[in-house]
Amino acid sequence: MTAKIIDGKIIAAELRGRVADEVARVKREHQLVPGLAVVLVGNDPASEVYVRSKHTQTQAAGMASFEHKLPADVSQSDLLALVARLNRDPAVHGILVQLPLPKGLNTEAVINAIDPAKDVDGLHPNNAGRLAGGFEALSPCTPLGCIILTKSVHASLEGMNAIVIGRSNLVGRPLVQLLLNENATVTIAHSRSRDLPGLVKRADLVYAAVGKPEMVRGDWLKPGATVIDVGINRIPKDDGKTRLVGDVAYQEALAVAGAITPVPGGVGQMTVACLLVNTLRAACAITGLPKPAV
Ligand code: GUN
């Protein structure tokens, strides 16, 4: 038996379509145009690709997109001044500062400066704390995408054994909180965990978010498990080009898992779609409108 492939492209396109419908409705009924500002510091090639994709997809959903590109040697105070200006700008409902920031800039101070109501990355301590407390919050986009992909396979995650491998602020930690909110039983594993294969073996849901190419092997998996691969690793090919692989050994896992996300075409597709969802939600909340239907 081979695993069902969870098609992030199709699921993300469907979600973007629902966002676009809601954006059209709030424009028509409330003259509200949700706006997203993305700040890119420096010229990391991977970040440039992400930022371009955010810009294109934001406009395609009918929202306003504001791109701010700053040189890698921008000062901390100039970057904070831009964030302060975006906080005050009524046309901007979502602010995303692309990470990682170049060396020399204080990431924590920049995140703390973002108005929590506009923090569509869900990284501000207000939002992270609210999520951890089980309160309503803007939640990080990649974990939100992981939950949507999981729910395309399982209508309810209640009582399921989930393992999250990786404990980053952007993915692992918030994903744990979202899974708890879904009533899953969650194990948090990381680089110091003992017997990772044994921990993974018990899991019905496996989330790999470590950034180590093909680290999770097929024979670690419980037969029938749902595998969500957050990894995007570029590895060199013989011809000098690179290919993308996840944190899971895909071909091995296909033979054991019940369902699995491919790389590319899985989680990566969902992140921007969820960013659009967060921007729409933030715009409605800031302007006092009822929650949108997505
Ligand atoms: N870099 C890679 N993923 C992300 C993300 O979701 N948000 C931000 N701000 N930076 C990232």
Side-chain angles (χ1 to χ4, degrees), residues 32-45:
L32 169 64
V33 182
L36 172 67
V38 174
V39 179
L40 175 61
V41 185
N43 42 21
D44 176 67

Side-chain angles (χ1 to χ4, degrees), residues 45-263:
S47 289
E48 281 183 335
V49 173
Y50 292 138
V51 167
R52 201 165 319 128
S53 151
K54 284 166 186 167
H55 180 66
T56 314
Q57 295 190 29
T58 304
Q59 289 190 327
M63 303 201 253
S65 172
F66 308 97
E67 260 190 338
H68 295 270
K69 295 193 174 172
L70 301 175
D73 62 357
V74 71
S75 69
Q76 178 83 11
S77 61
D78 283 357
L79 179 53
L80 290 175
L82 172 60
V83 170
R85 188 151 59 79
L86 297 172
N87 283 343
R88 287 192 302 269
D89 187 340
V92 171
H93 305 98
I95 301 171
L96 180 144
V97 178
Q98 185 68 28
L99 302 177
L101 289 173
K103 281 204 182 67
L105 291 167
N106 181 341
T107 302
E108 189 184 349
V110 172
I111 289 169
N112 287 349
I114 297 171
D115 178 348
K118 298 188 176 186
D119 169 37
V120 284
D121 250 340
L123 293 176
H124 189 284
N126 262 29
N127 283 313
R130 293 180 62 83
L131 177 63
F135 303 108
E136 202 171 298
L138 284 166
S139 306
C141 305
T142 302
L144 280 176
C146 290
I147 298 290
I148 293 171
L149 293 177
T150 312
K151 287 189 154 182
S152 77
V153 181
H154 304 283
S156 165
L157 314 187
E158 184 165 318
M160 296 181 97
N161 285 338
I163 186 164
V164 176
I165 314 171
R167 52 180 160 177
S168 69
N169 285 340
L170 207 51
V171 183
R173 287 173 203 256
L175 179 54
V176 164
Q177 303 302 338
L178 290 172
L179 286 164
L180 277 178
N181 290 348
E182 297 290 337
N183 299 314
T185 302
V186 192
T187 300
I188 312 165
H190 46 76
S191 53
R192 310 288 169 87
S193 295
R194 287 189 202 141
D195 188 21
L196 189 56
L199 294 174
V200 171
K201 201 71 175 183
R202 301 190 316 200
D204 308 302
L205 309 173
V206 177
Y207 299 87
V210 273
K212 292 215 167 88
E214 300 178 327
M215 186 190 77
V216 176
R217 310 311 307 190
D219 64 4
W220 295 12
L221 299 170
K222 176 175 174 176
T226 296
V227 179
I228 308 291
D229 191 347
V230 185
I232 300 180
N233 307 291
R234 282 181 178 75
I235 61 173
K237 290 196 297 184
D238 292 340
D239 61 5
K241 294 185 181 160
T242 59
R243 69 187 177 100
L244 286 185
V245 300
D247 291 348
V248 179
Y250 185 72
Q251 288 303 329
E252 292 177 16
L254 265 184
V256 186
I260 186 167
T261 59
V263 178

Side-chain angles (χ1 to χ4, degrees), residues 261-286:
T261 59
V263 178
V267 174
Q269 295 283 321
M270 296 300 293
T271 300
V272 185
C274 290
L275 177 64
L276 304 180
V277 171
N278 275 352
T279 304
L280 172 65
R281 287 180 182 165
C284 290
I286 289 168

